[in-house]
Amino acid sequence: MIELKTMLLFGLGGQEVLLIALVVLLLFGGAKIPELMKGLGKGVKSFKDGMKEIDDETKKIDE
């Protein structure tokens, strides 16, 4: 699920992560969570693509 390093980075332990997951489940329900995760994944992919594009442009400028 979430690596230990990531949890320590944000200062969250196992109980806090479980509580957050429970609150999300109560707020959105079981049917909406896959849709939320799909949207989150698309957002992260778009962000990474944008960062790669910026890196490519800066490399072109340096040449």
Side-chain angles (χ1 to χ4, degrees):
M1 189 172 154
I2 297 176
E3 291 183 11
L4 181 60
K5 291 179 185 178
T6 304
M7 288 193 309
L8 292 176
L9 178 68
F10 294 116
L12 297 176
Q15 292 177 342
E16 288 88 0
V17 172
L18 185 61
L19 180 64
I20 291 169
L22 182 63
V23 169
V24 168
L25 182 63
L26 288 173
L27 288 176
F28 298 107
K32 291 284 184 182
I33 292 178
E35 292 177 29
L36 291 171
M37 293 300 112
K38 184 178 179 182
L40 181 65
K42 285 183 179 181
V44 169
K45 185 180 184 311
S46 174
F47 178 77
K48 286 182 180 181
D49 290 344
M51 292 300 293
K52 184 179 180 205
E53 186 177 312
I54 290 172
D55 287 342
D56 292 344
E57 289 180 14
T58 56
K59 286 179 184 177
K60 286 180 184 177
I61 291 172
D62 289 341
E63 293 176 356

